[in-house]
Amino acid sequence: MTTGRLETFSDGVLAIIITIMVLELKVPHSADFAALRPLVPVILSYVLSFIYLGIYWNNHHHMMHVVHRVSGGILWANLLLLFWLSLVPFVTGWMGENHFAPAPMALYGVVLLMAGISYTVLVQASLRVEGPNSLLATAIGLDRKGKISLGLYAIGIAAAFVRTWLAGAIYVAVALIWLIPDTRIERVLSGQAAGEKPSAP
Amino acid sequence: MTTGRLETFSDGVLAIIITIMVLELKVPHSADFAALRPLVPVILSYVLSFIYLGIYWNNHHHMMHVVHRVSGGILWANLLLLFWLSLVPFVTGWMGENHFAPAPMALYGVVLLMAGISYTVLVQASLRVEGPNSLLATAIGLDRKGKISLGLYAIGIAAAFVRTWLAGAIYVAVALIWLIPDTRIERVLSGQAAGEKPSAP
Amino acid sequence: MTTGRLETFSDGVLAIIITIMVLELKVPHSADFAALRPLVPVILSYVLSFIYLGIYWNNHHHMMHVVHRVSGGILWANLLLLFWLSLVPFVTGWMGENHFAPAPMALYGVVLLMAGISYTVLVQASLRVEGPNSLLATAIGLDRKGKISLGLYAIGIAAAFVRTWLAGAIYVAVALIWLIPDTRIERVLSGQAAGEKPSAP
Amino acid sequence: MTTGRLETFSDGVLAIIITIMVLELKVPHSADFAALRPLVPVILSYVLSFIYLGIYWNNHHHMMHVVHRVSGGILWANLLLLFWLSLVPFVTGWMGENHFAPAPMALYGVVLLMAGISYTVLVQASLRVEGPNSLLATAIGLDRKGKISLGLYAIGIAAAFVRTWLAGAIYVAVALIWLIPDTRIERVLSGQAAGEKPSAP
């Protein structure tokens, strides 16, 4: 069983999640620019969540590229990830409409944390299928980036109750860590293509 | 005519159904955690329906893997299944917002029952195309799991008018029966690959 | 340029249109079955539109199966068809919520008529690419079914202002005409496979 | 890494964006044709945006046809484009519901301009992968049409504050420029097929 349909379904869900968030941008009744001002926090939180979902899609895309067989474990880990990501529009809207208040900021971090843990579960389920000498295992390595992210989300959740701007800064920082393209898999692949021994990242 | 486009379309509809349910999670206006309390039953019913739709996608994925040709009967049975599944967000919302009252609990069971019957119709339509000696026929076997589910849904509907928690327990139980991965098709496939005679499940 | 991506995009749009209609089924606040009574016309109109969209998807699926190259004309005719079909949820909701009043009944027919005309334009654009001796030309033949449907829609629109039930009956009748599976293309394909000369339908 | 999944995801997002706009067409409570009159500007702006999204899908479809490898730059440029296009339903709704008032007209132009710039970024990212002697480079040429569009959007934004109808006319004009099918890539491809030297457009 190949990854084809898993990717189609995940792409569909991710595409819908990413687009559904726009529905939270309610069209204002007044026609002047001032009517847009209350929407600024909603738009800012939309941008952040859009980037996060883009990162997930991007990484999912890369990972599935080196997964060759889909197990039941992968299917359900993937659904778990999609479940947590499906809550992103809700927490994004709650955070944006309440101008980054403590409780929504913390819950936003919780959803990011749970999605991050689900992604780790998906990676582990894929590694169990591919084996320790697979391209995937080489590409993932110690998964330092993934582990640091989970730690930062946890700190962000705690920070939300002390200084909300700090939680926000942490969530933005994690996004930036990932925006720096995850070249690990690409490097391993081109290393292979060139006949070189892939080095651990 | 292959199953490719049928799967793409079904994946699209299932992805949308699964994601549309989140829209029922209305963003609360207040920014404290107490504002989330009324959402708890909505989230619980969302989780249950998410799992059911995940199971349907999973089983659909497995079944289409051993169906080689799409007939008109399969196309329409598939649309019938998608129709009943498209009502899941509605009954999920009604059940969640009314804290699992009897009528919504019963209707939830009715939609599950109709979706289950539609799936059985789809299986039969596929068997008519594939024939009694096909991989599909071997994999489905007596379809004990499917028949038990239909019976349990019916009991759940009746139970909703007596003890709503009993209906809920039955719906959860059926989901758990299916969460135990349906290894029948995988077993038959790997049996074939290994040159063994596939045994009826 | 093959039909692959055209089909993916059309499937996506059709899947969303078909599912978006469910959003018009607003979750009632009361938890008894009586609260569902006002929804009956909404559900009835949803069923009719679901069947129509299923028919369009089905026929689109069959037609694209015998189209080998996508021209600019096909791309835009396809978008024209999707545009009119995208108005189906709106007219379905208007018709259902107003208990099949004359104006919504007529507008429903107008959208069906425009979608039907767009489909004919798409067929013509495809025929221009495939040529008069193509499988498609043989399968479409005189397109009697298509022409009768357009005529019936026009009659239905007029009937809506005299007897709304008559308009409804006509719309249901056209759906039934198409539900009888369009075996033309399948017949031509299997005729070819068997080495027979395809006869005009 | 091929363009397959990039196209699937983009098609999904574009399909949802195009369909989500219909949700802005709120079903009127009254059942006579007069109830549709306030919807006319909403429908007009929907038609314009539908055409723009159709053009983007069409051009995206053509471009990806001659892109052979997906880089990280292409992935993120594509997401940037999808981000700006995801704001189209919002500005379409704002413009339509406020009868083409100056501020929404200007913002509509801003979103079109940013989407146009993002598309240019995507083209540049693709050119960096494909190289200056690629089919894509030949097909794009000086990209006069793209540059003129960006200029016209900027003029349209300014015009919105002076004469809103002028801004509207400019937006319609740009759509018409693109509706004339972009035959550049098709010409280059068929030139190649015929063994001719592709001439710069």
Side-chain angles (χ1 to χ4, degrees):
Chain A
M1 204 156 291
T2 61
T3 59
R5 203 176 161 186
L6 187 96
E7 294 180 59
T8 311
F9 182 69
S10 307
D11 281 5
V13 172
L14 285 173
I16 299 159
I17 292 173
I18 230 172
T19 327
I20 256 181
M21 284 194 292
V22 192
L23 295 177
E24 213 55 56
L25 271 177
K26 305 266 163 58
V27 171
H29 293 297
S30 152
D32 48 300
F33 284 116
L36 296 179
R37 211 166 302 157
L39 289 176
V40 170
V42 183
I43 291 173
L44 285 179
S45 59
Y46 172 52
V47 171
L48 183 61
S49 295
F50 191 99
I51 292 172
Y52 263 112
L53 287 166
I55 290 168
Y56 269 107
W57 176 73
N58 203 333
N59 290 350
H60 196 269
H61 180 96
H62 276 78
M63 183 164 72
M64 284 306 145
H65 198 65
V66 289
V67 169
H68 301 89
R69 208 168 52 80
V70 173
S71 66
I74 291 179
L75 279 178
W76 285 106
N78 194 57
L79 279 171
L80 187 69
L81 173 63
L82 294 179
F83 173 76
W84 285 106
L85 292 179
S86 81
L87 295 180
V88 167
F90 172 74
V91 289
T92 303
W94 200 34
M95 187 171 77
E97 282 175 28
N98 290 292
H99 301 74
F100 307 99
M105 285 297 272
L107 194 69
Y108 191 81
V110 169
V111 168
L112 288 182
L113 179 62
M114 296 311 291
I117 291 173
S118 308
Y119 193 78
T120 310
V121 171
L122 178 59
V123 169
Q124 295 306 322
S126 304
L127 281 175
R128 223 166 308 132
V129 168
E130 294 290 311
N133 299 316
S134 59
L135 262 183
L136 180 68
T138 316
I140 295 293
L142 300 172
D143 194 18
R144 236 172 302 165
K145 236 169 158 180
K147 283 173 194 153
I148 291 171
S149 303
L150 296 186
L152 285 175
Y153 293 143
I155 297 171
I157 296 166
F161 297 104
V162 191
R163 297 275 183 279
T164 53
W165 63 262
L166 184 61
I170 289 170
Y171 301 152
V172 171
V174 177
L176 289 178
I177 292 177
W178 286 99
L179 267 178
I180 305 159
D182 192 356
T183 54
R184 293 177 299 180
I185 288 176
E186 278 179 24
R187 225 181 325 140
V188 173
L189 278 176
S190 34
Q192 258 222 344
E196 296 165 20
K197 191 171 154 284
S199 60
Chain B
M1 205 156 288
T2 61
T3 58
R5 203 175 161 188
L6 187 97
E7 294 180 59
T8 312
F9 182 70
S10 306
D11 281 5
V13 172
L14 285 173
I16 299 158
I17 292 173
I18 230 172
T19 327
I20 258 182
M21 284 193 293
V22 192
L23 295 176
E24 213 56 56
L25 270 177
K26 304 267 164 57
V27 171
H29 292 297
S30 153
D32 49 299
F33 283 117
L36 296 179
R37 210 165 304 157
L39 289 176
V40 170
V42 184
I43 291 173
L44 285 180
S45 59
Y46 173 52
V47 171
L48 183 61
S49 295
F50 190 97
I51 291 172
Y52 263 112
L53 287 165
I55 290 167
Y56 269 107
W57 176 74
N58 203 332
N59 290 350
H60 196 270
H61 179 96
H62 276 79
M63 182 165 70
M64 285 304 145
H65 198 64
V66 288
V67 169
H68 302 89
R69 208 167 53 79
V70 173
S71 66
I74 292 179
L75 281 176
W76 284 106
N78 195 57
L79 279 170
L80 187 69
L81 173 63
L82 294 179
F83 173 76
W84 285 106
L85 293 179
S86 81
L87 295 181
V88 167
F90 172 76
V91 288
T92 303
W94 199 35
M95 187 170 78
E97 283 175 27
N98 290 292
H99 301 74
F100 307 100
M105 286 296 273
L107 194 69
Y108 191 80
V110 169
V111 168
L112 288 182
L113 178 62
M114 296 312 290
I117 291 173
S118 307
Y119 193 79
T120 309
V121 171
L122 178 59
V123 168
Q124 295 306 322
S126 304
L127 281 175
R128 223 166 307 134
V129 168
E130 295 290 312
N133 299 316
S134 59
L135 263 183
L136 180 68
T138 317
I140 295 293
L142 301 172
D143 194 20
R144 237 171 304 165
K145 236 170 159 180
K147 282 173 193 154
I148 291 171
S149 303
L150 297 186
L152 285 175
Y153 294 143
I155 296 172
I157 296 166
F161 297 105
V162 190
R163 296 276 184 279
T164 55
W165 63 263
L166 184 61
I170 290 171
Y171 301 153
V172 170
V174 177
L176 289 178
I177 292 176
W178 286 99
L179 268 178
I180 304 159
D182 192 355
T183 53
R184 293 177 298 180
I185 288 176
E186 279 179 22
R187 224 182 324 142
V188 172
L189 278 175
S190 35
Q192 258 222 344
E196 297 164 19
K197 192 170 153 285
S199 60
Chain C
M1 203 156 290
T2 60
T3 59
R5 204 175 161 187
L6 187 96
E7 293 179 61
T8 311
F9 182 70
S10 307
D11 281 4
V13 172
L14 285 173
I16 299 158
I17 292 173
I18 229 172
T19 328
I20 257 182
M21 283 193 293
V22 191
L23 295 177
E24 214 56 56
L25 270 178
K26 305 267 163 58
V27 172
H29 292 298
S30 153
D32 49 300
F33 284 117
L36 297 179
R37 211 166 302 158
L39 290 176
V40 170
V42 183
I43 291 174
L44 285 180
S45 57
Y46 172 51
V47 171
L48 183 61
S49 295
F50 191 98
I51 292 171
Y52 263 111
L53 287 165
I55 290 168
Y56 269 107
W57 176 73
N58 203 333
N59 289 350
H60 196 269
H61 180 96
H62 276 79
M63 182 165 71
M64 285 304 145
H65 198 64
V66 289
V67 169
H68 302 89
R69 209 169 51 79
V70 173
S71 66
I74 291 178
L75 280 177
W76 284 106
N78 194 57
L79 278 170
L80 187 68
L81 173 64
L82 294 179
F83 173 76
W84 285 106
L85 291 180
S86 80
L87 295 181
V88 167
F90 172 75
V91 288
T92 303
W94 200 34
M95 188 170 76
E97 283 175 27
N98 290 291
H99 300 72
F100 308 99
M105 284 297 271
L107 195 69
Y108 190 80
V110 168
V111 168
L112 288 182
L113 178 62
M114 297 311 291
I117 291 173
S118 308
Y119 192 79
T120 309
V121 171
L122 178 59
V123 168
Q124 294 306 321
S126 304
L127 281 176
R128 224 167 305 133
V129 168
E130 295 290 310
N133 299 315
S134 60
L135 262 184
L136 180 68
T138 315
I140 295 293
L142 300 172
D143 195 19
R144 235 171 304 165
K145 236 169 159 181
K147 282 172 195 156
I148 291 172
S149 303
L150 297 186
L152 286 174
Y153 293 143
I155 296 172
I157 296 166
F161 297 105
V162 190
R163 296 275 184 278
T164 53
W165 64 263
L166 183 60
I170 290 171
Y171 302 153
V172 170
V174 177
L176 289 178
I177 292 177
W178 286 99
L179 267 177
I180 304 159
D182 192 356
T183 53
R184 293 178 299 179
I185 289 177
E186 279 178 23
R187 225 184 323 143
V188 172
L189 279 175
S190 35
Q192 257 222 343
E196 298 164 18
K197 191 169 154 286
S199 59
Chain D
M1 204 155 291
T2 60
T3 59
R5 203 175 162 189
L6 187 95
E7 294 180 60
T8 311
F9 182 69
S10 306
D11 280 5
V13 172
L14 285 173
I16 299 158
I17 292 173
I18 230 172
T19 327
I20 257 181
M21 285 193 292
V22 191
L23 295 177
E24 214 55 57
L25 270 177
K26 305 266 164 58
V27 172
H29 291 298
S30 152
D32 49 299
F33 284 117
L36 296 179
R37 211 167 300 157
L39 289 176
V40 170
V42 183
I43 291 173
L44 284 180
S45 58
Y46 172 52
V47 171
L48 183 61
S49 295
F50 190 98
I51 292 172
Y52 263 112
L53 288 165
I55 290 168
Y56 269 107
W57 176 73
N58 202 333
N59 290 350
H60 196 269
H61 180 97
H62 276 79
M63 183 165 72
M64 284 305 145
H65 198 66
V66 289
V67 169
H68 302 89
R69 208 168 52 78
V70 172
S71 66
I74 291 179
L75 280 177
W76 284 106
N78 195 57
L79 278 170
L80 187 68
L81 173 62
L82 294 180
F83 174 76
W84 285 107
L85 292 180
S86 81
L87 295 180
V88 167
F90 172 74
V91 289
T92 303
W94 200 34
M95 187 170 77
E97 282 176 27
N98 290 290
H99 301 73
F100 307 101
M105 286 295 273
L107 194 69
Y108 190 79
V110 168
V111 168
L112 288 182
L113 178 61
M114 297 311 291
I117 291 174
S118 308
Y119 192 79
T120 310
V121 171
L122 178 59
V123 168
Q124 295 305 321
S126 304
L127 281 175
R128 224 167 305 133
V129 168
E130 294 290 311
N133 299 316
S134 59
L135 262 184
L136 180 67
T138 315
I140 295 293
L142 300 172
D143 194 19
R144 237 171 304 165
K145 235 170 159 180
K147 282 173 193 152
I148 291 171
S149 304
L150 297 186
L152 285 174
Y153 293 143
I155 296 172
I157 296 166
F161 298 105
V162 191
R163 296 275 183 279
T164 53
W165 63 263
L166 185 60
I170 290 171
Y171 301 153
V172 170
V174 177
L176 289 178
I177 292 176
W178 286 99
L179 266 178
I180 304 160
D182 192 356
T183 54
R184 293 177 299 180
I185 289 176
E186 278 179 23
R187 226 185 320 145
V188 172
L189 279 175
S190 35
Q192 258 224 344
E196 297 166 18
K197 190 170 155 284
S199 59

